[in-house]
Amino acid sequence: GSEKPEEILVISAHYDHLGMNNNKIYYGADDDGSGTVAILEIAEAFKAAVLAENGPKRSILFLHVTGEEKGLLGSKYYTNFPVFPLKNTVVDLNIDMIGRVDEAHSNKPNFVYLIGSDKLSTELHHLSEEINTRFTQLNLDYTFNDENDPNRFYYRSDHYNFAKNNLPIIFYFNGTHKDYHKPTDTPDKINYEILTKRTQLIFYTA
């Protein structure tokens, strides 16, 4: 970070999936290959920004975790044994499945679900909305942010271990689909155009 190097902004995604079962490969292209490549692209973009002397004011930690499918184990380990003190962490932007379009948006793919943006910081929520309006113009869908959502997605990805420590988070998500947790979650089904746009939203927000 150029101005507040001691303050850490975390961008996270998990790179584990279900592996092999009955001689079938579970590719996990959306869950969470999409988040994994998004982090790499965002890191590359920030590196280019630094070289152009337009880098971030805070330091950024690009955090690839594993064990998410086994119970958020990697992010739990990180928050228990952080590389940088948690008191210096200002936010976690967590990316888990942003490469597909769910049935609810089959005719309007220009969307992303946001979960948790307003739960611990209204400032983060307003910033997120403002950035989207200025740069990406995605339809920000808060359906799964409802406290009464039966899916309880807020508790089901790696951001939750940061939220448990009272750190503001945003969880970026495209909803489930018929290939969720199946061997058919393959790269040919990714919508690369919308994956790019969602990744840009996260970059601009960071």
Side-chain angles (χ1 to χ4, degrees), residues 119-190:
K119 292 197 185 299
L120 294 166
S121 170
T122 51
E123 187 182 357
L124 175 63
H125 177 72
H126 294 317
L127 174 77
S128 166
E129 294 252 320
E130 180 189 326
I131 291 297
N132 179 60
T133 300
R134 197 189 315 171
F135 293 109
T136 40
Q137 290 96 47
L138 286 159
N139 170 25
L140 303 183
D141 192 323
Y142 296 101
T143 300
F144 298 129
N145 194 50
D146 186 342
E147 202 55 53
N148 298 315
D149 170 40
N151 298 288
R152 294 176 61 79
F153 287 126
Y154 177 68
Y155 305 93
R156 287 172 53 185
S157 191
D158 291 299
H159 61 276
Y160 184 60
N161 283 310
F162 290 89
K164 278 200 306 193
N165 285 280
N166 211 34
L167 297 171
I169 63 93
I170 301 179
F171 171 21
Y172 299 88
F173 181 52
N174 54 216
T176 57
H177 42 74
K178 66 182 189 309
D179 303 302
Y180 177 66
H181 281 194
K182 292 182 179 167
T184 48
D185 182 5
T186 49
D188 55 295
K189 294 175 181 151
I190 297 292

Side-chain angles (χ1 to χ4, degrees), residues 84-95:
F84 303 99
L86 284 188
K87 64 177 175 23
N88 291 14
T89 299
V90 293
V91 70
D92 172 45
L93 304 179
N94 183 52
I95 315 168

Side-chain angles (χ1 to χ4, degrees), residues 75-108:
S75 53
K76 182 179 181 181
Y77 185 88
Y78 179 82
T79 52
N80 284 337
F81 305 98
V83 177
F84 303 99
L86 284 188
K87 64 177 175 23
N88 291 14
T89 299
V90 293
V91 70
D92 172 45
L93 304 179
N94 183 52
I95 315 168
D96 192 351
M97 299 173 60
I98 59 164
R100 295 279 296 267
V101 174
D102 69 353
E103 277 188 21
H105 297 85
S106 55
N107 298 321
K108 299 171 288 183

